[in-house]
Amino acid sequence: MSFRKVTIIIWALAVILFLLALHHNFLSLSSLLRNDVSDSGIVGLQPIDFTANFHQHPVNERQEEIPVVIAASEDRLGGTIAAINSIHQNTRSNVIFYIVTFNRTADHLRSWLNSGSLKSIRYKIVNFDTKLLEGKVKEDPDQGESMKPLTFARFYLPILVPSAKKAIYMDDDVIVQGDILALYNTPLKPGHAAAFSEDCDSASTKVMIRGAGNQYNYIGYLDYKKERIRKLSMKASTCSFNPGVFVANLTEWKRQNVTNQLEKWMKLNVDRTLAGSITTPPLLIVFYQQHSTIDPMWNVRHLGSSAGKRYSPQFVKAAKLLHWNGHFKPWGRAASYADVWEKWYIPDPTGKFSLIRRHMDTSNIK
C-alpha cells in the first residue's frame, strides 16, 4: 500500500471520529435545550434563563403553549410563587411562565422555583430594565405600589413574549382556582387587543362599590376638568376595568402599536396632570370601548381592600381567580381569606421571605 493511500485512510478515520464526537455533543445539547424558548434579545427586557420541561401532570406537548406573564419583586416574591403554584396545580395545559424581575432577584427566585413541586414547571426569567421608563414616570413616595417599575411590565407584553400570538397577564396577588386554559380561551372580538374584567359587571365589584367611591367608572380615574381629557370625548360614566388580569391578542396589540400608545399617555401624565394614578389611566384611555371582557369569575377582586370578609365561603370557593388588590395582601399583617391563599404558598427555602401577617381567626372554606 502506497504512502499516499495510508495518509488518505488516516485522514478519513480522523474525520469520522471528529463527526462522531460532534454528533454526540449535538445530541447532548439538544437534550438539554429541548422545549426551550429562544431569547428575545431586545434591549431593556433581557432573558436570564429558562428551564426544561418535566411536567408533574401528563401534558400533551402538541397543545398550544399558554404564555402567562407575571412580575416578581423581591418584597412580594411569595405572592408570585403562590400564584404560579396555583396555576400549575390546576391545569394540565402546556403553560410557560414569563417571570419579569430584576437581575438582583433572579437567583433568589430561581432557588425557590427549583424546590419542591415547582421543579416541573416551564419558565423564563426576564430582566426588566428601568431605563424603559425614563421620561415616562417620576418617583413619588406617596404613590406606593403603583410607582414600582414592575407595575409597567404589562405595557410591554409583545417584547416579553415575542413569539406568541396570545398571552395572559396577571398580578402577583392572585390565586387561580380554575383551569387557566378556560381564561386563555376567552374570545376576543375582531380588532380588540385585550380582554379585561369590567368594574360594573361582576358580583364581586357590586359588593364593594358601597365603599369604593367612584372607582368603578372613568371619572374615578381621570380628571375630567382637564381639557386634554375632555377632548377625548370619553363618557365619564363609562365602566372602568381592572388591569390586574387580562388576556391579550399580541398580533392585534402589535398592529395597533398599543405599547407606543400607552407610553404616549405615560409621558403626558408624568406629572399626574391628567389623573391621580399612573398605571390604570393609560390603559383606560387606550382601550376605551376597544376591549373585550373576561368572565367576571376570573377576576374576583377587592379581597385586599380591607381585612374583613365581604364574600360568602361559597362564593369564594366558586371563584376561578381570587385577587387581593388593595393594601391588605395575604402575606401581610392582616388579610381576608389568608387561609385560602396560604394553601398555595410554598415556604421560601432560603428563609429570606416569610409571612408577616398576624395570626387571625379564619374560617375554612369547605
Side-chain angles (χ1 to χ4, degrees), residues 205-216 302 305-306 310:
T205 298
K206 290 174 182 176
V207 170
M208 297 300 300
I209 282 176
R210 294 190 188 94
N214 286 328
Q215 286 212 312
Y216 56 91
H302 304 300
S305 296
S306 71
R310 295 182 180 250

Side-chain angles (χ1 to χ4, degrees), residues 65-71 80 83-88 91 93-100 121-126 157 160-161 164 166-172 174 176 179-181 183-184 244-248 250 298 321:
E65 258 184 8
I66 301 179
V68 175
V69 179
I70 188 168
T80 302
I84 289 174
N85 188 38
S86 69
I87 295 169
H88 174 61
T91 190
S93 297
N94 192 12
V95 177
I96 174 170
F97 296 95
Y98 288 79
I99 310 172
V100 190
I121 70 166
R122 297 179 68 205
Y123 69 87
K124 174 178 279 189
I125 298 176
V126 184
L157 290 183
L160 293 167
V161 197
K166 192 175 181 181
I168 295 171
Y169 170 85
M170 58 181 59
D171 285 343
D172 57 7
V174 306
V176 173
D179 188 335
I180 199 71
L181 178 62
L183 178 60
Y184 184 74
V245 178
F246 64 90
V247 181
L250 298 181
W298 273 101
L321 182 147

Side-chain angles (χ1 to χ4, degrees), residues 246-365:
F246 64 90
V247 181
N249 178 337
L250 298 181
T251 302
E252 195 63 37
W253 189 295
K254 287 183 279 191
R255 190 186 72 80
Q256 297 181 27
N257 292 318
V258 169
T259 295
N260 289 342
Q261 292 186 60
L262 292 169
E263 288 186 323
K264 167 192 169 182
W265 287 104
M266 288 170 69
K267 292 175 183 176
L268 290 172
N269 192 42
V270 70
D271 293 312
R272 292 174 188 81
T273 54
L274 305 178
S277 63
I278 55 177
T279 310
T280 302
L283 289 159
L284 292 177
I285 294 171
V286 172
F287 287 105
Y288 177 71
Q289 294 186 346
Q290 289 294 320
H291 66 273
S292 299
T293 57
I294 65 175
D295 181 343
M297 296 303 282
W298 273 101
N299 193 354
V300 173
R301 48 200 179 274
H302 304 300
L303 274 72
S305 296
S306 71
K309 295 189 174 183
R310 295 182 180 250
Y311 310 132
S312 70
Q314 293 77 18
F315 181 69
V316 171
K317 185 177 181 180
K320 302 297 183 182
L321 182 147
L322 299 170
H323 190 179
W324 279 264
N325 60 315
H327 296 294
F328 298 90
K329 303 302 182 187
W331 56 83
R333 294 189 180 280
S336 61
Y337 311 101
D339 54 333
V340 179
W341 178 86
E342 198 167 346
K343 287 194 304 183
W344 304 106
Y345 174 70
I346 298 172
D348 182 1
T350 70
K352 294 178 182 178
F353 184 96
S354 59
L355 305 182
I356 60 173
R357 58 180 169 77
R358 291 191 294 267
H359 293 289
M360 300 177 66
D361 293 330
T362 55
S363 60
N364 293 323
I365 295 178

Side-chain angles (χ1 to χ4, degrees), residues 47-308:
I48 298 173
D49 64 3
F50 180 76
T51 62
N53 182 357
F54 300 101
H55 285 279
Q56 192 172 28
H57 303 301
V59 170
N60 182 358
E61 294 298 335
R62 295 180 181 177
Q63 287 180 340
E64 183 179 359
E65 258 184 8
I66 301 179
V68 175
V69 179
I70 188 168
S73 61
E74 185 71 30
D75 59 332
R76 299 162 62 102
L77 211 50
T80 302
I81 293 294
I84 289 174
N85 188 38
S86 69
I87 295 169
H88 174 61
Q89 297 293 341
N90 284 305
T91 190
R92 294 192 174 187
S93 297
N94 192 12
V95 177
I96 174 170
F97 296 95
Y98 288 79
I99 310 172
V100 190
T101 189
F102 300 118
N103 280 322
R104 61 179 179 271
T105 301
D107 288 340
H108 185 191
L109 173 61
R110 193 180 298 110
S111 65
W112 211 334
L113 292 170
N114 291 338
S115 67
S117 61
L118 294 181
K119 283 183 178 179
S120 58
I121 70 166
R122 297 179 68 205
Y123 69 87
K124 174 178 279 189
I125 298 176
V126 184
N127 177 58
F128 189 86
D129 191 341
T130 55
K131 289 180 181 178
L132 284 170
L133 305 179
E134 289 180 357
K136 304 178 186 77
V137 297
K138 284 185 178 179
E139 293 290 340
D140 185 346
D142 296 333
Q143 290 296 310
E145 294 296 331
S146 65
M147 255 311 301
K148 297 200 172 181
L150 292 176
T151 302
F152 301 97
R154 72 197 82 190
F155 288 13
Y156 299 93
L157 290 183
I159 303 176
L160 293 167
V161 197
S163 60
K165 296 180 180 179
K166 192 175 181 181
I168 295 171
Y169 170 85
M170 58 181 59
D171 285 343
D172 57 7
D173 53 358
V174 306
I175 287 296
V176 173
Q177 300 185 133
D179 188 335
I180 199 71
L181 178 62
L183 178 60
Y184 184 74
N185 286 336
T186 297
L188 275 71
K189 295 178 181 178
H192 287 183
F196 303 90
S197 174
E198 294 193 339
D199 290 328
C200 307
D201 67 355
S202 71
S204 65
T205 298
K206 290 174 182 176
V207 170
M208 297 300 300
I209 282 176
R210 294 190 188 94
N214 286 328
Q215 286 212 312
Y216 56 91
N217 55 26
Y218 271 50
I219 199 171
Y221 290 93
L222 301 172
D223 187 352
Y224 275 79
K225 296 177 182 178
K226 303 296 183 181
E227 184 180 2
R228 188 180 289 273
I229 295 296
R230 292 199 306 271
K231 281 185 175 180
L232 293 172
S233 299
M234 300 183 301
K235 290 184 178 179
S237 60
T238 301
C239 184
S240 55
F241 53 80
N242 181 273
V245 178
F246 64 90
V247 181
N249 178 337
L250 298 181
T251 302
E252 195 63 37
W253 189 295
K254 287 183 279 191
R255 190 186 72 80
Q256 297 181 27
N257 292 318
V258 169
T259 295
N260 289 342
Q261 292 186 60
L262 292 169
E263 288 186 323
K264 167 192 169 182
W265 287 104
M266 288 170 69
K267 292 175 183 176
L268 290 172
N269 192 42
V270 70
D271 293 312
R272 292 174 188 81
T273 54
L274 305 178
S277 63
I278 55 177
T279 310
T280 302
L283 289 159
L284 292 177
I285 294 171
V286 172
F287 287 105
Y288 177 71
Q289 294 186 346
Q290 289 294 320
H291 66 273
S292 299
T293 57
I294 65 175
D295 181 343
M297 296 303 282
W298 273 101
N299 193 354
V300 173
R301 48 200 179 274
H302 304 300
L303 274 72
S305 296
S306 71

